C-alpha cells in the first residue's frame, strides 16, 4: 500500500480509505492514478439518470413518427431496459398483436435529431437491441441535409442491421402490422 501511495502521491491513509470504500472525497483523477499504478485502465460510462429532458426537435421527431402509426398500436415513451440497475431506456416502444390476445410484438424506437458518429450509434443501438427485450428496432431520423449526408456515408455500414426499407416499415406500421425487422425511418 505504501508503494501505491507513493506512486500516486497520496497518503497511505487516503489509499487505505479509498480501498475500503470510505473515502470522503475521491476524484476521477485519483481513481485514474490508482488504476494506472496497479496496471488497470479506468473506464467511465454515463447513463441517463432521473427524468430526461427532451429538446423540442427530439419530441417533434417522435411525434411525427407516432402520428403515422395505426390506432391499434400501443405507444410508450422512455421505456426502461428490463435489467435491474440498467438506467438505459428506449425513446419509445411500440407494440401490437397479430391476433386478439396478448402482445405479440415489441419494437424499440430510437430517435436521433443530428446523427454523426455511425460507429457509436451502431454500437449503442446494438447493445440496446440485445438487452432491451424487443423484436426489432426502428431508428427515426429527421428529413434533413445532415441526415442525407449521414446515410450516404453510413448507410452501407447500417444496412445489415436495418434490412427493412423505411418506407415499407411505415406502410406496415400504418396498417397496424409489425414490419418484420429493423428499419431506418426518415420522417
Amino acid at each position: 500500500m505504501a508503494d501505491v501511495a507513493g506512486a500516486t502521491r497520496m497518503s497511505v491513509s487516503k489509499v487505505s480509505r479509498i480501498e475500503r470504500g470510505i473515502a470522503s472525497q475521491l476524484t476521477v483523477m485519483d481513481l485514474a492514478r490508482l488504476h494506472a499504478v496497479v496496471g488497470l485502465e479506468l473506464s467511465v460510462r454515463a447513463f441517463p439518470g432521473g427524468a430526461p429532458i427532451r429538446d423540442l426537435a427530439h419530441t417533434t421527431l417522435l411525434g411525427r413518427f407516432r402520428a403515422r402509426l395505426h390506432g391499434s398500436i400501443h405507444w410508450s415513451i422512455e421505456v426502461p431496459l428490463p435489467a435491474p440497475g440498467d438506467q438505459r431506456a428506449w425513446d419509445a416502444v411500440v407494440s401490437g398483436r397479430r391476433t386478439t390476445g396478448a402482445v405479440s410484438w415489441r419494437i424499440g424506437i430510437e430517435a436521433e435529431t443530428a446523427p454523426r458518429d455511425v460507429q457509436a450509434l451502431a454500437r449503442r443501438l446494438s447493445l440496446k437491441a440485445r438487452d432491451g427485450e424487443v423484436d426489432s428496432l426502428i431508428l427515426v431520423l429527421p428529413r434533413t441535409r445532415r441526415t442525407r449526408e449521414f446515410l450516404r456515408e453510413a448507410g452501407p455500414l447500417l444496412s445489415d442491421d436495418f434490412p427493412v426499407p423505411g418506407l415499407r416499415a411505415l406502410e406496415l406500421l400504418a396498417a397496424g402490422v409489425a414490419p418484420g425487422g429493423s428499419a431506418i425511418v426518415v420522417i
Side-chain angles (χ1 to χ4, degrees):
M1 196 170 302
D3 291 341
V4 170
T8 59
R9 297 186 188 140
M10 293 182 210
S11 69
V12 173
S13 63
K14 182 172 183 175
V15 171
S16 176
R17 285 191 307 274
I18 292 169
E19 184 179 55
R20 291 179 290 147
I22 61 170
S24 61
Q25 290 185 352
L26 183 61
T27 67
V28 172
M29 290 307 298
D30 288 341
L31 282 174
R33 282 195 305 268
L34 284 167
H35 279 78
V37 165
V38 296
L40 299 173
E41 286 186 24
L42 176 64
S43 175
V44 178
R45 293 175 58 182
F47 294 98
I53 298 172
R54 293 288 182 215
D55 65 349
L56 181 59
H58 191 266
T59 303
T60 301
L61 182 60
L62 285 171
R64 287 198 321 256
F65 176 74
R66 183 180 186 189
R68 303 285 297 269
L69 304 178
H70 190 270
S72 67
I73 293 177
H74 183 263
W75 172 272
S76 300
I77 59 168
E78 290 300 322
V79 178
L81 271 62
D86 192 337
Q87 293 191 0
R88 295 175 295 165
W90 292 106
D91 288 336
V93 169
V94 295
S95 56
R97 296 174 173 78
R98 286 180 176 71
T99 58
T100 58
V103 170
S104 59
W105 53 267
R106 285 172 41 99
I107 301 171
I109 308 298
E110 284 295 301
E112 289 289 325
T113 57
R116 289 183 187 90
D117 183 343
V118 67
Q119 290 176 323
L121 178 63
R123 185 179 316 112
R124 180 171 53 82
L125 293 178
S126 176
L127 291 172
K128 274 187 159 181
R130 180 195 71 191
D131 300 336
E133 292 185 358
V134 294
D135 301 306
S136 58
L137 75 99
I138 294 179
L139 174 60
V140 181
L141 302 174
R143 188 173 305 282
T144 63
R145 182 175 42 92
R146 173 182 271 169
T147 296
R148 283 191 300 277
E149 292 168 1
F150 174 79
L151 289 175
R152 188 172 36 256
E153 294 176 19
L157 299 171
L158 297 172
S159 62
D160 288 344
D161 293 332
F162 297 92
V164 178
L167 289 176
R168 181 65 180 146
L170 273 178
E171 281 176 8
L172 291 168
L173 289 167
V177 177
S182 296
I184 297 173
V185 171
V186 178
I187 197 162

